Amino acid sequence: MAFKILIIACPHGKEAIVAGGIGCDERTGGVISIDLRGYSKIRPSLARLKSLRFLDLSSNNFDGVPVPAFVGSLENLRYLNLPIAKFRGAIPPNLENLSNLQYLDLPTPFQWLSTNNLGWISGLGSLKYLALDGVNLSMVSSTWISVLNGFLSLSGLHLSDCRLSCLISSPGLVNFTSLAALDLSFNSFDSEFPQWLLNVSSLVSVDMSFSGLYGRIPLGLGELPHLQILILSGNDNFSASCTQLGGIPSSIGSLCSLVNFDLSNNNLKSSLPEILQRGSETCYSQSSLPNLRYLRLNDNRLRGYLPSWMGQFKNLEELTLDYNLLEGPSPSSLGTLKNLTVLDLGRNQLNGTLPVDLGQLSELDVLDVSFNHLSGTLSEEHFANLRKMKTLDLSSNSFTLNVSADWMPPFQVHSLGMGSCQIGPSFPAWLRHENEINYLDFSNASISGPVPSWANYLIRCQQLLLRLLISALTFFQGPFPLPISEIRLLDLSNNQFLGGIPQNLSKYMPELGFLSLSSNRITGGLPESIGEMQWLQVINLANNNLSGSIPPSIGNCSSLEVLNLQNNSLSGLIAAPLGQLQGLQSLYLSNNKLSGDLPSSFKNLSSLETLDIGNNQLNGTIPAWMAEGFINLRILSLRSNAFSGEIPHELSSLSSLQVLDLAENNLTGNIPSSFGDLKAMVEGQARIEYLFYRNYGGTYYQENCRVTMQSQSQLYTKTLSLVTSVDISGNNLGGEFPKEMTKLVGLLILNLSRNDIGGEIPESISSMSQLLSLDLSSNRLFGVIPQSMPSLSFLSYLNLSDNNFSRKIPYTQQMMTFPSSYYGNSGLCGAPLNVTCPADEPDKRETIEDSRGDDEFIDQWFYLSVGLGYAAGILVPIVVLHIKGSWANSYFDFIDRIARRWLPIGNRRAKLLRNRR
């Protein structure tokens, strides 16, 4: 809407609001304030209003035009408010003319506004409040803090998300004597906490969250007497100091005025400092932090018991301690926090029962104790007064729910998680009284039998954001329940539903975005109408008895990211229209009866990260266009088909490829030497990253992959991002073992068995230091087993059988743990085979008989070193891949300590014994 400014005569004798948010001076009649919020145009005629003191242009859509330069000519302006106005470009430097300006609010989204220096601010001598949130200040020099330090009256400074990256250096003499609010969040300072802030005693609010801070949280924070808000979340490199009990300074207990304390998403260790439990002489109170209302310590590494003295914070409204390492019982004193609205203790290691006192927290809106080790029986008393409860998550514990058949919960929850709780055996009748549910998880809840007819009413949701209604209703039987139209996410996996998928599925669920019916007993074909469901992002129908062909209409599901149809009985050709799914990231069609070639239309699947079409009847050659089309591919499995021809060397350009499985086909030719350039296998995978798509309130599709190792197929999910594997076994490949492949130093699994590969194993194979499994059996390899192979200390499986290797086996270190790996090589000799090597090849190993008597200590050290080598080589890789990273780190530290302690002693002792001889 356009707004045309008119120069009018304001009435004398009083201040007046004339029109369109215009204010007039009561003495002179001049226009002194204009409020143009909600208008879409600004007129240059505003520059004539020289008496203007107040100008508000917020909440407009100026469509990316620059901030009008004439604003700098309004020299009497004291208040300039420009947020959410969609200005773009450089801030006009002539704003420095506004020497009377006290309030400047100029935030912008997405760094639409920018400035190369803050010199123009020096002219704003009267400035009391400055907000440049979102303004691009990346080119501003590190002197910006000194420039702002000159404003003695500055009370509010907000520079959030400004791309500041320099050190927060000290401005020298601190002049911020009036500064009350400081917001430097969402920058990248890469700096310690600025110590000079501890001299700004006027501070009331400090927000330095997600600012790249490191080091310790300063002890002197307790000297800021007026501090009410302290937010330091999201600084991952904060750590404990050796002079502190933990990462949280005990001096925090002296902040008498503190209301909001947020240290979430950091690297804080140890337990809560005990000073927080004692009465504070400074605050003249029976407890420390008497005004605390919000305590957020989630996503850290806090250990120890949850202290009972948490109940002293009587004004506490929010307590979030989730994603830590807390253990022990939940203290009943939490039930005394009558003002508590949010209690989140999820993702810890708590045990014991849930205190019945929590049922008295009548203000509680969120209660989350999920993913702990809690147990016991939950009765109606546990929920007696939870009338305001909207989110209740008890999942992934071992609770048993014991309520009467006619129990009516006092709450109307929106989100209810009771996965892994004993709720059954029948569908809970009390659920029919919950009329506001939009998230329900009853997975592994020991419920069996049919879904009651009244349960369909659960799928009537009044809210727009419906996320999940039924998740993994364990052991439900009977026909597939057909919900009504509002549902957006449906997960009925891991049950015993029978029958077919309704042909009119799109009619009943037109807005469905997530569909998982995996691991049931569903039969029949896929309905053509599935192509009409434009919002579908995940389709998971794996592990059923589906038959027929894949309907081409799925190619119309333009939002689809995951299609999992593996482990069914689908047949026919792969529908070419699937190549239209340009957003598809994960495609599983393995273990079906599909035939024909891979459609050339697949070259358009540029977002594809996983392609698993193994165990079908597909034929033709492996298309070279995969390298050009699948630029983001991480997992490629064509296993157990009838592909023929040579392996395209172009596949080596797939820089993200970490799992390549071409086993059990009819491939011929040589292994491309360019495979040594597979970047993700050269560098290896060092971080565990959960691979999933579309997380809906804790329910998501998790990526998975089966990798064959030691002739056994193993399913990887949570550790999949660490797996690197090449399996080309069971083909007709010839040529030699490519020396270039030994450059894959990050490879864990290599299987070239059951081919016709000749030549020798390169001596450089020792550079593949991360190998866990190496299978070269049933080929035509010859020559000597490389003397460097015993250095592969992580190797837990080796098979060199049925080749033409000769001479002595290097049977030391790790090689001693694979006694059956050398059979079928007529030229090999020495242990563990019962073939004596020729006399002209002396055994260079020291025998045990030569080391008796004075060498008894060396014998003991030998066995100790073998034991440690076995543990490191066999157990550690399994530990690293299958348990928590913290356990693996502790294990390595233990091995290092043993080695450091005993190796020098063993070396000195052996040297003395040799000298005696």
Side-chain angles (χ1 to χ4, degrees):
M1 174 179 178
F3 182 81
K4 186 175 181 180
I5 294 295
L6 300 176
I7 303 302
I8 60 175
C10 289
H12 290 270
K14 61 179 180 178
E15 183 174 333
I17 301 300
V18 179
I22 298 175
C24 301
D25 184 86
E26 61 179 5
R27 183 175 59 85
T28 65
V31 177
I32 59 173
S33 68
I34 295 181
D35 185 345
L36 296 181
R37 284 178 291 178
Y39 291 87
S40 59
K41 291 185 180 180
I42 184 171
R43 300 292 183 181
S45 55
L46 279 173
R48 305 175 191 172
L49 304 178
K50 299 300 182 181
S51 60
L52 199 63
R53 301 177 188 174
F54 180 103
L55 178 60
D56 191 337
L57 300 177
S58 62
S59 301
N60 282 290
N61 182 6
F62 292 123
D63 199 22
V65 301
V67 176
F70 70 77
V71 174
S73 66
L74 302 174
E75 298 180 356
N76 288 309
L77 208 60
R78 298 178 182 176
Y79 181 101
L80 179 58
N81 194 32
L82 304 178
I84 321 178
K86 294 188 178 181
F87 287 119
R88 190 188 292 267
I91 297 176
N94 67 343
L95 290 185
E96 65 181 352
N97 299 327
L98 305 180
S99 58
N100 294 308
L101 195 66
Q102 300 178 3
Y103 182 101
L104 175 58
D105 195 352
L106 196 61
T108 182
F110 313 117
Q111 283 79 42
W112 280 11
L113 291 175
S114 63
T115 184
N116 292 335
N117 65 78
L118 295 180
W120 54 272
I121 291 182
S122 301
L124 310 182
S126 303
L127 200 61
K128 295 182 179 180
Y129 181 93
L130 175 63
L132 299 178
D133 297 334
V135 175
N136 189 345
L137 303 180
S138 59
M139 302 301 293
V140 171
S141 70
S142 58
T143 59
W144 64 270
I145 194 67
S146 298
V147 172
L148 297 173
N149 187 43
F151 292 88
L152 303 182
S153 299
L154 192 65
S155 62
L157 176 59
H158 299 264
L159 301 177
S160 175
D161 192 23
C162 290
R163 296 190 183 180
L164 292 169
S165 58
C166 53
L167 295 175
I168 316 176
S169 56
S170 173
L173 181 64
V174 178
N175 294 322
F176 288 115
T177 54
S178 300
L179 192 62
L182 175 66
D183 186 353
L184 299 177
S185 61
F186 292 95
N187 285 291
S188 303
F189 293 117
D190 191 24
S191 169
E192 292 186 317
F193 187 94
Q195 294 289 327
W196 55 266
L197 276 180
L198 305 180
N199 297 323
V200 185
S201 59
S202 57
L203 280 171
V204 174
S205 172
V206 173
D207 187 350
M208 299 193 70
S209 57
F210 297 93
S211 294
L213 300 180
Y214 63 83
R216 73 178 190 183
I217 300 173
L219 303 175
L221 282 173
E223 303 300 320
L224 299 176
H226 305 293
L227 200 61
Q228 297 180 19
I229 298 174
L230 178 58
I231 303 177
L232 301 176
S233 59
N235 294 288
D236 293 338
N237 291 321
F238 267 156
S239 59
S241 164
C242 59
T243 61
Q244 299 171 217
L245 179 64
I248 304 174
S250 57
S251 58
I252 294 294
S254 302
L255 295 175
C256 309
S257 302
L258 197 62
V259 173
N260 186 345
F261 185 31
D262 190 345
L263 290 178
S264 60
N265 290 281
N266 284 301
N267 192 31
L268 303 176
K269 303 180 178 73
S270 194
S271 56
L272 297 175
E274 294 181 359
I275 187 66
L276 298 183
Q277 71 171 310
R278 298 198 297 265
S280 172
E281 296 179 359
T282 306
C283 303
Y284 303 102
S285 171
Q286 296 298 316
S287 66
S288 294
L289 308 177
N291 296 300
L292 191 65
R293 294 168 57 190
Y294 307 99
L295 179 59
R296 303 181 181 98
L297 301 174
N298 52 287
D299 292 88
N300 280 290
R301 300 177 65 185
L302 298 176
R303 298 178 180 272
Y305 281 29
L306 189 60
S308 60
W309 47 261
M310 296 295 295
Q312 75 174 10
F313 300 132
K314 300 302 182 183
N315 292 314
L316 203 62
E317 297 180 17
E318 179 178 333
L319 176 60
T320 55
L321 294 169
D322 53 306
Y323 287 96
N324 276 290
L325 302 171
L326 298 170
E327 55 187 337
S330 302
S332 59
S333 61
L334 294 176
T336 65
L337 302 177
K338 302 301 183 183
N339 296 314
L340 206 61
T341 61
V342 175
L343 176 59
D344 193 344
L345 307 177
R347 276 77 174 178
N348 278 283
Q349 300 172 15
L350 301 175
N351 55 36
T353 62
L354 193 67
V356 70
D357 308 69
L358 296 182
Q360 303 305 313
L361 299 178
S362 58
E363 299 296 319
L364 204 59
D365 180 81
V366 175
L367 174 60
D368 188 344
V369 294
S370 61
F371 292 90
N372 278 286
H373 306 304
L374 298 168
S375 59
T377 300
L378 301 180
S379 64
E380 298 176 18
E381 190 176 1
H382 283 85
F383 312 102
N385 291 313
L386 303 182
R387 300 182 183 88
K388 295 185 178 181
M389 182 72 67
K390 295 301 178 185
T391 298
L392 175 61
D393 197 344
L394 308 173
S395 56
S396 295
N397 286 287
S398 298
F399 292 124
T400 298
L401 187 64
N402 183 16
V403 295
S404 61
D406 58 351
W407 180 54
M408 293 186 62
F411 47 70
Q412 288 289 325
V413 291
H414 296 162
S415 176
L416 179 60
M418 289 191 169
S420 299
C421 297
Q422 302 296 309
I423 301 175
S426 59
F427 196 90
W430 53 267
L431 201 59
R432 69 192 306 168
H433 303 294
E434 296 297 308
N435 301 318
E436 299 180 11
I437 286 184
N438 61 18
Y439 176 91
L440 174 62
D441 182 2
F442 274 5
S443 58
N444 302 314
S446 300
I447 299 175
S448 59
V451 181
S453 58
W454 58 262
N456 282 332
Y457 290 102
L458 288 174
I459 306 174
R460 179 175 297 126
C461 178
Q462 305 297 325
Q463 300 182 6
L464 178 62
L465 296 178
L466 180 60
R467 294 175 293 180
L468 175 69
L469 296 189
I470 306 176
S471 172
L473 297 173
T474 308
F475 303 129
F476 274 4
Q477 303 168 352
F480 173 71
L482 193 61
I484 59 177
S485 59
E486 289 88 352
I487 191 167
R488 295 187 180 179
L489 191 155
L490 182 64
D491 184 351
L492 297 175
S493 56
N494 299 294
N495 284 285
Q496 297 183 27
F497 288 114
L498 303 170
I501 300 175
Q503 292 297 315
N504 53 355
L505 189 65
S506 60
K507 173 183 177 182
Y508 287 91
M509 293 182 285
E511 298 184 356
L512 192 66
F514 187 112
L515 173 63
S516 180
L517 305 177
S518 64
S519 300
N520 281 282
R521 292 190 288 169
I522 297 174
T523 57
L526 293 171
E528 279 285 341
S529 65
I530 201 168
E532 301 172 8
M533 305 175 75
Q534 297 297 312
W535 300 104
L536 270 176
Q537 295 168 328
V538 174
I539 299 176
N540 186 4
L541 304 176
N543 307 314
N544 280 288
N545 299 313
L546 295 170
S547 58
S549 60
I550 301 174
S553 63
I554 291 184
N556 297 324
C557 298
S558 56
S559 301
L560 202 62
E561 296 183 6
V562 176
L563 177 60
N564 191 341
L565 302 176
Q566 65 182 335
N567 299 319
N568 281 285
S569 297
L570 298 171
S571 59
L573 303 177
I574 298 177
L578 293 185
Q580 300 170 192
L581 303 173
Q582 296 187 10
L584 195 67
Q585 299 180 43
S586 182
L587 176 60
Y588 285 92
L589 302 176
S590 58
N591 292 289
N592 281 287
K593 301 176 182 178
L594 300 171
S595 58
D597 296 341
L598 196 64
S600 60
S601 62
F602 272 31
K603 67 175 64 176
N604 299 319
L605 301 180
S606 58
S607 300
L608 203 64
E609 296 186 13
T610 297
L611 175 62
D612 185 354
I613 53 176
N615 292 283
N616 280 286
Q617 301 166 16
L618 299 170
N619 52 36
T621 60
I622 299 175
W625 50 254
M626 279 188 174
E628 179 183 353
F630 302 158
I631 57 176
N632 297 307
L633 200 65
R634 302 177 63 168
I635 298 169
L636 174 61
S637 177
L638 309 180
R639 184 184 189 90
S640 298
N641 279 286
F643 288 106
S644 58
E646 297 187 356
I647 301 174
H649 67 87
E650 289 88 352
L651 295 182
S652 60
S653 64
L654 295 173
S655 60
S656 300
L657 193 65
Q658 64 184 72
V659 175
L660 174 62
D661 191 346
L662 307 178
E664 310 291 347
N665 280 284
N666 299 318
L667 301 174
T668 56
N670 300 339
I671 300 174
S673 59
S674 59
F675 272 14
D677 299 326
L678 288 166
K679 184 177 179 181
M681 301 182 191
V682 172
E683 299 176 352
Q685 306 299 307
R687 295 180 58 186
I688 293 181
E689 298 176 350
Y690 293 103
L691 306 180
F692 58 84
Y693 306 104
R694 296 303 166 195
N695 189 333
Y696 290 86
T699 297
Y700 52 83
Y701 174 81
Q702 181 171 266
E703 191 67 293
N704 63 84
C705 179
R706 286 197 171 273
V707 177
T708 300
M709 179 177 174
Q710 303 182 26
S711 301
Q712 295 182 346
S713 177
Q714 182 168 347
L715 182 67
Y716 288 89
T717 53
K718 293 182 179 179
T719 58
L720 177 57
S721 63
L722 293 177
V723 178
T724 50
S725 171
V726 173
D727 190 345
I728 323 179
S729 61
N731 283 285
N732 299 310
L733 298 170
E736 296 186 352
F737 187 117
K739 181 179 179 181
E740 292 80 2
M741 286 194 71
T742 61
K743 294 190 298 184
L744 304 181
V745 296
L747 193 64
L748 301 180
I749 301 169
L750 176 61
N751 190 347
L752 305 181
S753 65
R754 293 174 291 117
N755 279 288
D756 198 35
I757 302 171
E760 301 184 57
I761 300 178
E763 187 72 27
S764 57
I765 196 170
S766 59
S767 62
M768 303 177 74
S769 56
Q770 303 299 314
L771 271 181
L772 297 176
S773 176
L774 175 62
D775 192 344
L776 303 177
S777 62
S778 300
N779 279 288
R780 293 189 301 107
L781 295 166
F782 59 83
V784 181
I785 298 176
Q787 295 294 316
S788 63
M789 286 192 68
S791 65
L792 297 175
S793 56
F794 286 94
L795 205 60
S796 62
Y797 179 77
L798 173 67
N799 193 347
L800 303 178
S801 63
D802 297 313
N803 278 284
N804 298 315
F805 294 116
S806 60
R807 302 185 68 181
K808 186 176 181 56
I809 299 172
Y811 201 58
T812 61
Q813 301 179 47
Q814 294 302 110
M815 306 294 280
M816 298 175 65
T817 60
F818 316 113
S820 63
S821 299
Y822 312 102
Y823 297 138
N825 291 277
S826 58
L828 287 178
C829 63
L833 302 177
N834 293 322
V835 179
T836 304
C837 291
D840 60 348
E841 187 180 353
D843 190 349
K844 297 181 181 180
R845 292 175 297 153
E846 281 192 42
T847 61
I848 296 178
E849 289 76 7
D850 294 334
S851 306
R852 298 294 182 186
D854 289 339
D855 291 352
E856 181 178 356
F857 182 87
I858 297 178
D859 288 347
Q860 295 172 351
W861 174 243
F862 174 79
Y863 288 119
L864 176 60
S865 63
V866 170
L868 289 176
Y870 180 85
I874 304 300
L875 300 180
V876 172
I878 298 174
V879 171
V880 170
L881 290 178
H882 297 289
I883 67 174
K884 294 183 179 179
S886 60
W887 296 358
N889 292 336
S890 300
Y891 187 87
F892 278 118
D893 291 341
F894 169 74
I895 295 297
D896 288 342
R897 289 196 301 271
I898 294 294
R900 284 196 299 269
R901 180 176 178 182
W902 290 103
L903 273 174
I905 297 175
N907 290 337
R908 290 196 301 269
R909 179 67 170 167
K911 183 176 181 181
L912 288 173
L913 292 175
R914 286 195 297 270
N915 290 338
R916 289 180 185 177
R917 299 196 185 103

